[in-house]
Amino acid sequence: MQKILVVDDEAGIRNSLRAILEDEGYEVETVASGEECLKIAEKSNFACILLDVWLPGIDGLETLKLLRDQGSDAVVIMISGHGTIETAVMATKLGAFDFIEKPLSIEKTVLTVRNAIRTRELELRNAELAEALNQEYVMIGNSVAMRALRKQIAIVAPTDGRVLIQGESGTGKELVARAIHNQSRRKEKAFIEVNSAAIPEELVESELFGYVKGAFSGATQTKKGKFELADGGTLFLDEIGDMSPRVQAKVLRVLEESRFEPLGSNTLVKVDVRIISATNKNLDELMESGSFRHDLFYRLNVIPFQIPPLRERIEDIPLLVDHFNRKFSLAYGKKPKEFTESAIQAMQEYSWPGNVRELKNTVERIVIMKTKQKITADDLPEFESDGFLSSSSRFPSFKEAMDAFQRRFIEQKIAEADGNISKAAELMGIDRSHLYRRIKALGINLDKIKF
Ligand SMILES: Nc1ncnc2c1ncn2[C@@H]1O[C@H](COP(=O)(O)OP(=O)(O)OP(=O)(O)O)[C@@H](O)[C@H]1O
Ligand SMILES: [Mg+2]
């Protein structure tokens, strides 16, 4: 049952409001002063507070402010007597939902209270949804690289500095861009995404800068471009490596001048936009070959972010598997799977060309498709590690194949040596300090080796 608090120094008003609201099915408490209101609101969780403007001690307006200061999220309706309407109106500007006037009309009172409570419920629900949405953007990982990334985000987010995020496909570039936005002073404003690779060349300009009615045949009304939609917020330019030279020139101009003209308009629009850009292409190569402008690169790349591929931070794999396992089990109403050491190890030996996205899809598929609870390496033939040389396509480069081989070789020898590093080094015919360096460089976790 929703709880309502009535605050009025007149006993008659308290009693009649109690009667009216109890009839409507609310649970009602009453007090006679602002001081008492603050005390009881601190202890009890009211959905709605009806607050008299004129009160003997601290008045209604002051009580409202103090209520907010002490963190009450009750919706407040002011009760205004003769001569206090102006104050009641002012109170609505300070966050009161509405006001009702004395003498009280039963109908108006009931209606206002119902509206207020419904609005509060919607607001709480929205806050929940926003929270869930933020959950969608949590960044999992405790590797040195991820910890450094989080630190870098925390430092850069509050500034307006332009950020260029580079990393292979699926490493989490968009996630990082959203994290920067969500930790910035622009977080209440829009986060607008432009995927330069997905928009046909001839539409990029109208997408970015908008157009006015009549700018071209088919422009039946004025449309705002992404730069304008992002005003006050963040514009995420994704896949900038795919921008055509023409668009690069246009974007460069906006970055230099913070202004642009929508198509068909000769009025400059000024915007306050923070730019975060991203690409999985190698911009150095693109600049070398002349398909990406140096001057644009320097404009965008004020603060560089480099997200390492997943195979270079394999200690994040167990955490990510656990995260996606829970997430998808919950989403599909299933019990979370149990990934055994062998399964995790097989996944750590795999090279993940599609990075976190590929791992996320893999775990989702397992949660949906596998009927058994326990997942072992045998359930993951695609990551079967023994035959890894026969599936060399798994390793995009010589170095990665070598690393994977060395990791496995070293782990086996350490296991054979019962965990004795000196002995393992001897077995391998290398010296102990060399072995230690390799263990460190390859991120081998000695605690995980079974012997
Ligand atoms: N550290 C992480 N923790 C949790 N989820 C992650 C992490 N990194 C990436 N993801 C998830 O993996 C998926 C791919 O991430 P994202 O879209 O940010 O990658 P991207 O680098 O922008 O990829 P692309 O280059 O293909 O655009 C998303 O669903 C994202 O939520
Ligand atoms: Mg992306």
Side-chain angles (χ1 to χ4, degrees):
M1 206 195 298
Q2 302 268 22
K3 270 165 73 171
I4 297 182
L5 177 63
V6 174
V7 189
D8 201 304
D9 60 319
E10 285 176 58
I13 299 273
R14 290 200 300 272
N15 293 335
S16 53
L17 279 176
R18 178 197 290 280
I20 294 170
L21 296 170
E22 281 182 348
D23 268 356
E24 287 296 307
Y26 297 112
E27 188 182 331
V28 182
E29 301 254 7
T30 64
V31 292
S33 71
E35 289 84 347
E36 287 172 274
C37 162
L38 292 171
K39 211 185 280 167
I40 189 168
E42 185 122 71
K43 279 184 267 153
S44 244
N45 186 15
F46 293 100
C48 176
I49 299 177
L50 292 155
L51 183 57
D52 194 9
V53 170
W54 193 90
L55 287 167
I58 50 173
D59 66 10
L61 222 53
E62 189 60 25
T63 307
L64 172 64
K65 278 189 214 143
L66 292 170
L67 268 174
R68 294 300 180 231
D69 287 350
Q70 72 184 34
S72 161
D73 65 358
V75 55
V76 173
I77 297 168
M78 304 305 289
I79 309 171
S80 127
H82 182 66
T84 58
I85 290 200
E86 262 174 37
T87 320
V89 172
M90 197 196 303
T92 60
K93 291 194 179 127
L94 289 174
F97 175 77
D98 202 350
F99 61 90
I100 47 179
E101 281 170 75
K102 294 180 196 172
L104 299 173
S105 123
I106 294 184
E107 221 166 288
K108 164 93 172 129
T109 303
V110 169
L111 208 67
T112 309
V113 168
R114 252 194 232 146
N115 266 338
I117 287 182
R118 208 186 48 210
T119 306
R120 174 175 182 267
E121 277 174 349
L122 285 177
E123 274 168 7
L124 291 177
R125 175 94 191 103
N126 275 343
E128 268 168 28
L129 287 175
E131 172 72 28
L133 208 65
N134 270 340
Q135 280 293 316
E136 191 60 34
Y137 300 122
V138 293
M139 241 170 71
I140 304 293
N142 206 22
S143 57
V144 176
M146 287 306 283
R147 288 207 300 262
L149 197 61
R150 276 200 201 94
K151 215 181 212 168
Q152 202 184 356
I153 292 172
I155 294 171
V156 167
T159 73
D160 266 345
R162 286 183 194 145
V163 176
L164 170 62
I165 308 168
Q166 294 188 262
E168 288 178 13
S169 169
T171 45
K173 295 184 293 296
E174 181 173 343
L175 202 64
V176 168
R178 287 184 187 273
I180 295 172
H181 174 76
N182 288 338
Q183 291 177 36
S184 77
R185 63 178 175 87
R186 297 171 178 264
K187 65 169 183 281
E188 306 292 339
K189 298 287 175 60
F191 177 90
I192 302 284
E193 197 185 334
V194 182
N195 186 338
S196 317
I199 308 172
E201 150 96 60
E202 65 277 14
L203 292 182
V204 176
E205 280 182 69
S206 64
E207 276 288 317
L208 288 178
F209 310 119
Y211 51 80
V212 295
K213 189 174 167 176
F216 46 85
S217 61
T220 50
Q221 54 194 355
T222 297
K223 186 177 167 248
K224 281 188 186 174
K226 304 272 189 184
F227 269 96
E228 213 171 335
L229 292 172
D231 197 13
T234 304
L235 184 67
F236 178 46
L237 294 176
D238 204 0
E239 315 290 359
I240 50 162
D242 294 290
M243 271 193 230
S244 70
R246 198 180 135 82
V247 174
Q248 288 179 36
K250 293 267 176 184
V251 169
L252 179 65
R253 232 191 94 201
V254 193
L255 298 187
E256 281 169 344
E257 299 172 4
S258 300
R259 303 185 258 215
F260 60 89
E261 282 169 11
L263 291 180
S265 156
N266 43 23
T267 322
L268 282 168
V269 177
K270 191 162 173 44
V271 284
D272 162 33
V273 168
R274 187 208 196 146
I275 307 280
I276 301 179
S277 48
T279 181
N280 55 28
K281 298 252 163 81
N282 184 333
L283 289 181
D284 287 332
E285 278 171 17
L286 294 183
M287 284 190 286
E288 191 99 335
S289 68
S291 49
F292 200 83
R293 298 176 68 122
H294 283 89
D295 44 6
L296 180 56
F297 175 78
Y298 293 117
R299 284 277 170 191
L300 292 172
N301 191 34
V302 178
I303 305 161
F305 271 64
Q306 185 73 46
I307 310 187
L310 186 56
R311 63 185 167 280
E312 284 175 16
R313 44 181 164 110
I314 57 171
E315 57 275 47
D316 289 339
I317 289 178
L319 300 176
L320 286 162
V321 169
D322 183 59
H323 171 72
F324 293 128
N325 182 22
R326 283 168 207 266
K327 179 188 161 105
F328 290 119
S329 301
L330 192 71
Y332 296 115
K334 300 193 170 197
K335 201 163 156 234
K337 299 281 182 214
E338 195 185 313
F339 287 83
T340 63
E341 281 275 315
S342 74
I344 295 290
Q345 189 174 342
M347 291 169 111
Q348 285 182 319
E349 279 166 15
Y350 176 62
S351 69
W352 300 107
N355 293 293
V356 183
R357 180 180 297 111
E358 185 185 357
L359 181 130
K360 182 180 172 184
N361 294 343
T362 301
V363 175
E364 180 172 12
R365 194 179 62 237
I366 291 169
V367 168
I368 296 174
M369 302 297 291
K370 299 278 179 200
T371 43
K372 54 191 262 204
Q373 194 55 26
K374 222 181 184 140
I375 306 297
T376 67
D378 294 338
D379 300 311
L380 308 169
E382 65 270 45
F383 308 129
E384 181 55 81
S385 51
D386 284 336
F388 78 93
L389 279 182
S390 63
S391 55
S392 57
S393 60
R394 196 181 285 163
F395 301 106
S397 73
F398 180 72
K399 181 182 181 303
E400 280 146 35
M402 286 303 284
D403 283 356
F405 170 75
Q406 287 192 15
R407 190 175 296 123
R408 203 163 160 69
F409 180 68
I410 292 172
E411 281 171 355
Q412 260 171 23
K413 289 294 178 196
I414 293 175
E416 277 170 37
D418 292 333
N420 182 326
I421 302 294
S422 305
K423 201 166 142 201
E426 208 180 294
L427 286 173
M428 278 178 254
I430 58 176
D431 64 60
R432 195 165 164 270
S433 58
H434 183 188
L435 178 55
Y436 265 120
R437 276 199 304 277
R438 289 312 301 156
I439 288 171
K440 211 162 155 226
L442 294 166
I444 293 174
N445 186 345
L446 293 175
D447 299 335
K448 285 224 180 120
I449 300 174
K450 282 202 237 80
F451 39 82

